[in-house]
Amino acid sequence: MPGHVFPEACLARWPCATGTAATRRSPADAWWCVEANLTVEADATPTTIAPMTHRLLVVPTAHGVGVTSVCLGILRAIDRLGLRLGFYKPVARHEPDRSTSLVRLVSSLDPPVPVTAAEAERMLGEGREDILLERIVAAVETVGADRDVVVIEGVVTGDDAVYASGLNVALARALDAELVFVGGVDAGRDPEASPSALNAPLDHRRVADTVDIVARAFPEKATRACVLNRVPAPDVAPLADALQAEHLHPLGIIEERPALNAPRMRELAAHLEAELGCRTLLEGDQTGRRVRQVALCAATVRLACQRLVRGTLVIAPGDREDILVTAALAELEGAQLAGIVVTCGVTPSEDVMRLCARAFRDGPAMLLVEEDSYPTAAVVHRLNHGVPPDDGDRAELIATTIANGLDMAWLGRFAASAGPPRMTTPAFRHRLVAAARAAKRCIVLPEGEEPRTVEAASIAAARGLAACVLLGDPDRVADVARQRGVSLGDGVRVMAPTAELREPYVAPMVALRKHKGLNPASARDQLADNVVLGTMMIAQGELDGLVSGAINTTANTIRPALQLIRTAPGAALVSSVFFMCLPDQVLVYGDCAVNPNPDAEQLADIALQSAASAEAFGITPRVAMISYSTGSSGHGEDVEKVARATAIARERRPGLILDGPLQYDAAAVETVAKKKAPGSPVAGRATVFVFPDLNTGNTTYKAVQRSADCISIGPMLQGLAKPVNDLSRGSSVEDIVFTIAITAIQAEQAASR
């Protein structure tokens, strides 16, 4: 497998056999499928994961509200603050994507290519939302490298994108993004009203209600911001009040301006060509002239004169040559008409065209259609007013105008924000994959014939997370792979645990345990256990880490590591953490697998180890020392132990954000924290939960795992000189794959100590 090399010292004397291929699992079968677009350059990601940048998800509340325009304005406004920017549009319906092209046009940014709508729909239809979200998170992480803020354009809703609303909500959770909702004023008009009533006063409350209804589907945030686009000038202030009444911060109420919505004449000509098969009579200036209004000229010249102003598109029958002559005179007077559409299939006479030639030279284009004037006007009205990807002038005007209308104080919070956002599950999983790939480590799996382990090894190697060594009978492993429908490629080695393989480890093992009186015969007996054999491979530096526990107990996995690998420098004990991948964020639970009843000193050590593990995997540690009592509200030996451990941990690491004793609800829920622990730097915001004993920790992690239907990655052992990790015997294949990834990352970290 590219990037993974099995140690030559091991291969020289290991009688290895590579598993024979079974049919490779179809990419549609599971989240862990190998996606070409998920490939990450291994050396590009450091093993210790950097904090995330701020994310701003711009969500359209309806079709046609101008979400791309608002994104351009927000980018321009944040750029004015001197912050480093990034932009990404996760899903695009057309190629090339218009939003991405416009951002490139008006800024120095170079956003990556979005996922196509067809591919997103296929992945969602196959139940692979996790893969789609991981892919989007990966792109956002790449865009956000060394950036202060990344603006993400939400998926536009509509009849042809029924999944958009749900995907936007999933993106908000996965990216842990601040939310900006984009609305329009159409929601404030009576849908039963006749066209003549469209200029009636807006129902401001209805506009705000529409945004609020959409916003309620999203994760709660301290501030819900909204931009309303294309608002008539008299409605700006009342709409701001209506939004505030719904607890929506009016980030911007953008006044309607015809220039912002004015397409070039070339876009209109292409639209009429597609819809009506128009013919060009005069080329004119189709790039520089823009359509700001339409004049359907069926009345007298006197009335037509009032409409012949800059940016007007004139629509008139071909036999109304009086209108054409009047338009020519207006052009000579500097009207700068957008263009002229001659209808009814009637071409103006050569005499009239000659008379108007000087006025129309390099001026308004003239187009001929077979349709009557009114149907032609209806087709013109249907023109998509989105900004074309090459219209830099209009994009620049929109970006500047919308930026001028935004609340800079609200956006300025990003410059003074305290701390990074919380780590979400897709972000954590993406970072885990990227860091494991970068580590290029080799992991031994002693339970090499266990079906879940065989499948996990295949997946981990195929995804580039680690090279894997399976200890087991090659024929039996090949049979299991065939039954599971997976292929064991070059990244997986199957090692038969024969006497010949074990013998070279006898003498080193005796040397390590001579103070305990171990003799060669006893060493050979113990090496018959594959976990002991794998641990000796790690102890000798021939492999990088070990994962076991799908069959073996925690004690059977950990005991050889304590005896043969021992603790890392400065570690008083070995403990464990679980990474609890909840829908909204990843939390760290410790210790839920190793120490039955730690004393105060040991509990403090567990807290510090758990905080260090959180930091190493990109999670900002805010440590809650869990008890059945918050603060001084309760008494008893158990509470006092937690209080002493809290004091010891604070003394050992004064800068760590840590508090206790705290009840779980006070540590996790902000509203409860305000009542039970006001002023606590941790309460309601904890990311690391340290439990007072194994009974509490193990029970809690299993209850949360099953009740919340979340993935729990671990237990990850802390404090060993080299990584050995235990699995729950109920582990899924997915759990094993991620434990392999974690072990590879730990191996890289251990090597750099």
Side-chain angles (χ1 to χ4, degrees):
M1 180 176 58
H4 292 85
V5 179
F6 289 91
E8 291 185 8
C10 304
L11 297 181
R13 57 183 180 78
W14 281 353
C16 307
T18 302
T20 56
T23 303
R24 180 173 292 277
R25 181 179 293 274
S26 165
D29 286 349
W31 64 264
W32 49 73
C33 64
V34 182
E35 293 275 348
N37 289 318
L38 288 176
T39 300
V40 177
E41 287 295 330
D43 293 331
T45 303
T47 303
T48 299
I49 304 167
M52 292 185 291
T53 57
H54 295 287
R55 289 89 177 266
L56 197 61
L57 180 63
V58 184
V59 181
T61 60
H63 184 75
V65 294
V67 65
T68 299
S69 297
V70 171
C71 285
L72 293 175
I74 290 174
L75 286 168
R76 178 60 50 84
I78 296 176
D79 190 43
R80 291 174 180 174
L81 295 170
L83 300 178
R84 297 168 300 175
L85 283 169
F87 174 83
Y88 182 58
K89 182 173 180 178
V91 178
R93 301 210 64 79
H94 304 288
E95 296 181 90
D97 173 54
R98 187 167 57 89
S99 302
T100 302
S101 299
L102 288 172
V103 169
R104 290 172 179 160
L105 202 60
V106 299
S107 73
S108 60
L109 303 179
D110 187 20
V113 176
V115 179
T116 65
E119 187 172 8
E121 290 167 5
R122 173 177 59 81
M123 296 174 78
L124 292 169
E126 293 171 350
R128 297 194 294 145
E129 181 180 279
D130 282 351
I131 282 289
L132 177 60
L133 291 177
E134 283 187 45
R135 181 168 169 182
I136 291 170
V137 167
V140 172
E141 289 290 330
T142 301
V143 170
D146 300 320
R147 301 288 170 171
D148 298 309
V149 183
V150 177
V151 176
I152 303 112
E153 181 176 325
V155 185
V156 177
T157 59
D159 294 338
D160 58 345
V162 293
Y163 61 87
S165 297
L167 184 56
N168 282 332
V169 173
L171 286 173
R173 294 184 184 279
L175 297 169
D176 189 32
E178 291 267 12
L179 300 170
V180 173
F181 298 97
V182 181
V185 297
D186 287 347
R189 303 190 190 279
D190 184 355
E192 302 298 326
S194 64
S196 61
L198 290 180
N199 291 325
L202 287 174
D203 185 335
H204 304 120
R205 189 173 68 176
R206 180 184 289 177
V207 173
D209 282 345
T210 301
V211 177
D212 180 54
I213 289 169
V214 174
R216 288 181 186 181
F218 286 77
E220 290 188 10
K221 291 287 182 180
T223 304
R224 302 184 306 166
C226 176
V227 175
L228 292 181
N229 211 5
R230 304 169 190 152
V231 176
D235 297 291
V236 170
L239 281 172
D241 294 339
L243 289 176
Q244 289 175 330
E246 295 293 345
H247 304 289
L248 290 159
H249 179 74
L251 175 59
I253 311 293
I254 309 303
E255 186 177 328
E256 186 177 32
R257 297 187 182 181
L260 301 183
N261 204 34
R264 295 172 297 193
M265 191 63 194
R266 61 187 285 188
E267 278 90 57
L268 178 66
H271 174 67
L272 290 176
E273 170 64 26
E275 294 288 326
L276 300 176
C278 73
R279 183 160 60 90
T280 301
L281 299 180
L282 293 174
E283 186 68 31
D285 180 11
Q286 296 191 28
T287 299
R289 300 289 177 106
R290 294 182 179 274
V291 180
R292 300 191 181 192
Q293 62 178 358
V294 177
L296 184 58
C297 297
T300 63
V301 169
R302 180 169 61 87
L303 294 176
C305 287
Q306 301 173 17
R307 306 289 304 277
L308 299 179
V309 296
R310 184 184 181 189
T312 297
L313 175 71
V314 177
I315 301 177
D319 59 358
R320 289 295 307 270
E321 296 177 337
D322 56 334
I323 297 294
L324 296 181
V325 172
T326 304
L329 291 172
E331 185 66 19
L332 290 173
E333 291 294 316
Q336 292 190 316
L337 302 173
I340 300 169
V341 178
V342 177
T343 65
C344 302
V346 178
T347 303
S349 67
E350 291 184 5
D351 291 338
V352 170
M353 292 295 288
R354 191 181 306 110
L355 183 64
C356 298
R358 187 168 68 89
F360 290 158
R361 185 183 300 118
D362 299 324
M366 185 180 294
L367 309 174
L368 173 67
V369 298
E370 298 294 326
E371 195 62 75
D372 291 346
S373 295
Y374 283 101
T376 300
V379 171
V380 169
H381 181 72
R382 293 198 298 269
L383 172 66
N384 184 344
H385 286 269
V387 185
D390 64 343
D391 194 348
D393 291 340
R394 186 174 164 203
E396 183 70 27
L397 179 63
I398 287 172
T400 301
T401 303
I402 292 181
N404 291 343
L406 298 180
D407 181 353
M408 295 301 291
W410 190 90
L411 294 172
R413 298 174 310 122
F414 293 120
S417 179
R422 66 182 184 271
M423 177 72 76
T424 66
T425 295
F428 179 73
R429 286 165 36 144
H430 158 65
R431 290 177 172 218
L432 213 59
V433 168
R437 283 172 170 160
K440 298 181 182 178
R441 296 291 165 171
C442 189
I443 307 302
V444 61
L445 306 169
E447 301 159 325
E449 298 174 10
E450 198 279 322
R452 291 167 295 166
T453 302
V454 173
E455 185 172 350
S458 172
I459 294 163
R463 293 194 77 189
L465 305 181
C468 295
V469 171
L470 293 170
L471 296 182
D473 177 76
D475 292 336
R476 173 60 185 154
V477 173
D479 287 342
V480 171
R482 192 175 299 110
Q483 292 165 8
R484 303 289 285 196
V486 298
S487 174
L488 302 180
D490 293 340
V492 180
R493 291 276 179 172
V494 182
M495 320 297 300
T498 61
E500 291 77 13
L501 179 66
R502 295 193 295 267
E503 187 61 29
Y505 298 103
V506 173
M509 185 172 173
V510 169
L512 287 170
R513 299 289 291 163
K514 62 183 179 182
H515 64 288
K516 292 294 184 179
L518 184 69
N519 58 46
S522 296
R524 288 187 183 93
D525 289 342
Q526 292 183 30
L527 283 166
D529 183 336
N530 284 355
V531 176
V532 177
L533 176 60
T535 304
M536 276 303 301
M537 293 174 174
I538 306 303
Q540 291 298 98
E542 295 172 343
L543 294 176
D544 300 309
L546 179 147
V547 173
S548 180
I551 299 172
N552 286 278
T553 65
T554 296
N556 288 345
T557 298
I558 296 176
R559 188 185 302 111
L562 292 173
Q563 294 172 344
L564 303 172
I565 294 176
R566 301 174 185 168
T567 57
L573 80 170
V574 173
S575 64
S576 72
V577 291
F578 280 89
F579 294 98
M580 304 299 291
C581 299
L582 298 169
D584 288 330
Q585 70 180 119
V586 177
L587 302 176
V588 176
Y589 282 10
D591 174 12
C592 303
V594 179
N595 297 284
N597 191 23
D599 60 27
E601 290 276 349
Q602 292 171 327
L603 193 59
D605 204 53
I606 291 169
L608 297 179
Q609 287 183 358
S610 301
S613 293
E615 286 178 311
F617 286 86
I619 300 170
T620 302
R622 293 187 289 272
V623 184
M625 307 295 285
I626 301 300
S627 174
Y628 63 77
S629 171
T630 294
S632 58
S633 64
H635 302 281
E637 184 178 345
D638 291 338
V639 178
E640 291 170 4
K641 179 182 78 170
V642 174
R644 290 196 303 274
T646 302
I648 293 168
R650 283 174 174 164
E651 183 178 348
R652 290 183 185 173
R653 188 174 168 185
L656 180 64
I657 303 174
L658 178 146
D659 198 10
L662 289 170
Q663 291 167 286
Y664 190 97
D665 59 350
V669 182
E670 188 172 356
T671 54
V672 176
K674 290 178 181 178
K675 298 176 182 177
K676 291 188 174 183
S680 169
V682 173
R685 304 172 60 239
T687 57
V688 179
F689 293 73
V690 178
F691 297 100
D693 53 57
L694 186 57
N695 182 49
T696 305
N698 193 269
T699 301
T700 303
Y701 115 76
K702 286 187 180 295
V704 172
Q705 178 191 36
R706 300 303 177 186
S707 300
D709 193 27
C710 77
I711 299 169
S712 61
I713 300 175
M716 185 187 86
L717 299 184
Q718 309 171 128
L720 286 169
K722 295 182 179 180
V724 170
N725 281 314
D726 180 40
L727 298 166
S728 168
R729 276 168 285 178
S731 294
S732 66
V733 173
E734 183 178 19
D735 295 335
I736 300 172
V737 170
F738 276 117
T739 303
I740 291 170
I742 282 178
T743 307
I745 296 168
Q746 284 184 294
E748 179 70 10
Q749 293 165 350
S752 63
R753 282 200 290 261

